[in-house]
Amino acid sequence: MKLSEELQWRGFTNQTTFKNNDALDGAPITFYLGVDPSADSMTVGNLAVAMMVRHFIHHGHKAVLLVGGATGMIGDPDGKDEERQLKTINEIAKNKAGIAAQYKQVFAGQEFTLVDNYDWFKDFGYLQFLRDIGKHFSMTQLLQRDFVQSRIGKGGKGISYAEFSYSLIQGYDFLHLFREHDVTLQLCGADQWGNSLSGVELIRKLEGAEAHVWSAPLVLNKATGKKFGKSEGGAVWLSADKTSVFDFYQFWLNVDDDGVLDYLKIYTLLSKEEIVGIIEEFKQKPADRLAQKTLAYEVTRLVHGQAEADKAKAATEALFNGTASELTPTLTLEPGEYDVAEILVRANLTASNSEARRLLDQGGIKLNQQKVTMAKITLAKGDLLQAGKRRFVKIV
């Protein structure tokens, strides 16, 4: 399958500056993808675009992966309705190291160049930037950007000059990478389309050359219509320190039937033939949840390695057999009687007491596989407490 066809089949086709997508099927293109260090880990949303990058590499294109040390000092205003809190230098350094490590994990065995835009911005003088770069941007066009309009329009919370300038900084990234690494294509998520076009314009004006952007659509949860990648506890992170391997595995295991085919295409490297075969078997026996089990294992293996994926799989199987494993979340308590709602919140099995009581009323709480019906329970070492279908904690 050609790259243009694979991107279409997997759901990675959105806005692009290419007049013909067949341009991706020709000679090797050097492209880049950038991630700002707003946290020390990427999320499931970042992973979707990273998976698109894997397919570009597989089809012979050359990858430059950027960690935005400079842009991270400002913060991308796109998609935000108010000013970001600035990160400290130490926070940014820590976050850059975390993201760089995840790049190396997700792209293990692949050839890529890792760069940090702080390296070319740290000695770039303000006046020089205004003369060489700012001169080529139209205020009219910048003010028409959706995120600017939302911030300065009626009811908006305003935008600082720093965040307003973010698009110029990202535009220069593309120009610099064009000059230094022959990069002619930027890959991005749908929310970065406007910022990415800034670089295309700079390269055209200053170099008289053609550059392009290819964006991936936003991944949506078909069951809710909302952005995909959230759990009860918030964002799903690639870092095991933020989202445990067990919870990461459970997130994928619990995706809805309507969306699982899309997620297999986007988040795994399985071939079209393999995915089609899995879905056909899944349709015959949906209760076996083969599609979700395959998805959970493949994504966990990619992000955390095979050994951790095997542990998460074994832990899940143990739980459904009424036992616990080394990966099962634990809660340390003195033996005795406890309020069910308080324990569920304390164990992060529910977000609030009201949610816990509602789940209790619906028969969704179990202790050692037995349904809990009373507001108080007696807990001892080794007990397995369950909320809903797939949220567990072991009492230690």
Side-chain angles (χ1 to χ4, degrees):
M1 196 187 320
K2 296 178 180 178
L3 176 58
S4 60
E5 296 170 342
E6 180 146 29
L7 294 175
Q8 181 71 41
W9 179 76
R10 289 187 182 271
F12 288 127
T13 301
N14 192 48
Q15 289 176 291
T16 181
T17 54
F18 286 116
K19 293 181 180 178
N20 192 327
N21 294 349
D22 292 347
L24 299 177
D25 303 323
I29 298 169
T30 303
F31 67 90
Y32 94 96
L33 169 73
V35 174
D36 277 349
S38 54
D40 60 2
S41 172
M42 293 188 283
T43 67
V44 167
N46 301 124
L47 181 61
V49 183
M51 295 305 294
M52 180 173 69
V53 169
R54 287 288 301 249
H55 296 295
F56 272 80
I57 295 174
H58 178 73
H59 284 271
H61 300 301
K62 299 177 182 178
V64 175
L65 303 178
L66 181 148
V67 178
T71 35
M73 295 179 71
I74 305 300
D76 183 4
D78 205 351
K80 302 296 179 184
D81 57 11
E82 59 184 37
E83 198 82 5
R84 288 175 180 264
Q85 282 292 121
L86 293 178
K87 302 288 184 184
T88 67
I89 298 299
N90 288 339
E91 283 178 309
I92 292 171
K94 176 177 178 288
N95 294 351
K96 284 195 298 185
I99 290 172
Q102 288 177 351
Y103 269 149
K104 292 173 183 177
Q105 173 63 39
V106 173
F107 295 99
Q110 310 298 306
E111 289 190 14
F112 63 89
T113 301
L114 184 65
V115 298
D116 178 356
N117 59 10
Y118 182 73
D119 291 339
W120 55 83
F121 269 109
K122 65 179 184 289
D123 297 320
F124 205 150
Y126 179 65
L127 293 178
Q128 181 189 355
F129 184 77
L130 289 181
R131 284 180 61 86
D132 295 351
I133 306 304
K135 187 71 173 174
H136 300 284
F137 280 85
S138 162
M139 281 294 294
T140 303
Q141 290 179 331
L142 290 173
L143 286 168
Q144 289 172 347
R145 295 277 171 86
D146 289 342
F147 72 86
V148 175
Q149 288 295 313
S150 68
R151 294 274 285 272
I152 65 175
K154 186 176 181 180
K157 297 185 178 179
I159 184 170
S160 68
Y161 180 73
E163 286 198 357
F164 181 77
S165 303
Y166 182 94
S167 188
L168 282 68
I169 300 172
Q170 186 171 318
Y172 182 75
D173 284 343
F174 202 167
L175 176 65
H176 176 86
L177 293 173
F178 173 86
R179 289 170 171 171
E180 300 297 322
H181 295 275
D182 298 319
V183 170
T184 58
L185 172 65
Q186 180 177 356
L187 303 189
C188 65
D191 59 337
Q192 288 296 307
W193 173 252
N195 285 334
S196 301
L197 291 178
S198 296
V200 172
E201 284 296 300
L202 266 184
I203 291 169
R204 180 183 63 80
K205 290 177 180 178
L206 296 181
E207 300 294 328
E210 192 175 278
H212 292 281
V213 178
W214 181 281
S215 68
L218 191 67
V219 182
L220 297 177
N221 184 325
K222 284 188 172 182
T224 64
K226 297 180 180 179
K227 186 177 178 180
F228 178 73
K230 299 285 186 181
S231 68
E232 290 90 347
V236 178
W237 302 90
L238 305 194
S239 167
D241 292 333
K242 290 180 174 290
T243 299
S244 71
V245 178
F246 178 83
D247 288 338
F248 187 81
Y249 187 94
Q250 295 300 312
F251 169 77
W252 297 102
L253 193 63
N254 290 326
V255 300
D256 58 282
D257 290 353
D258 290 339
V260 70
L261 171 58
D262 290 345
Y263 309 144
L264 279 167
K265 291 177 180 179
I266 293 169
Y267 288 103
T268 79
L269 296 171
L270 298 174
S271 68
K272 181 177 181 179
E273 292 73 20
E274 289 173 315
I275 292 174
V276 169
I278 290 165
I279 291 300
E280 285 302 314
E281 189 173 340
F282 170 68
K283 288 178 179 178
Q284 296 296 320
K285 298 179 180 179
D288 290 349
R289 300 181 66 79
L290 175 65
Q292 283 89 345
K293 290 176 181 177
T294 304
L295 176 68
Y297 184 79
E298 289 297 323
V299 184
T300 305
R301 184 164 67 94
L302 178 78
V303 173
H304 295 292
Q306 184 163 341
E308 291 300 313
D310 287 340
K311 289 179 184 177
K313 181 181 178 182
T316 301
E317 291 172 351
L319 282 173
F320 283 99
N321 291 329
T323 59
S325 79
E326 61 180 294
L327 283 191
T328 307
T330 60
L331 179 65
T332 302
L333 294 171
E334 290 292 332
E337 187 178 66
Y338 291 90
D339 181 89
V340 174
E342 291 180 4
I343 287 298
L344 292 176
V345 173
R346 186 170 165 184
N348 293 319
L349 294 179
T350 61
S352 65
N353 286 345
S354 59
E355 180 188 346
R357 285 191 287 269
R358 184 168 59 252
L359 202 56
L360 179 64
D361 292 340
Q362 294 170 350
I365 307 300
K366 292 182 180 179
L367 179 62
N368 300 326
Q369 303 297 304
Q370 301 300 311
K371 188 177 295 185
V372 175
T373 58
M374 306 296 287
K376 300 277 187 179
I377 50 174
T378 300
L379 297 172
K381 180 180 178 181
D383 283 345
L384 189 65
L385 187 61
Q386 176 180 347
K389 292 182 178 180
R390 295 176 177 84
R391 283 172 281 164
F392 303 86
V393 70
K394 180 183 178 183
I395 307 302
V396 297

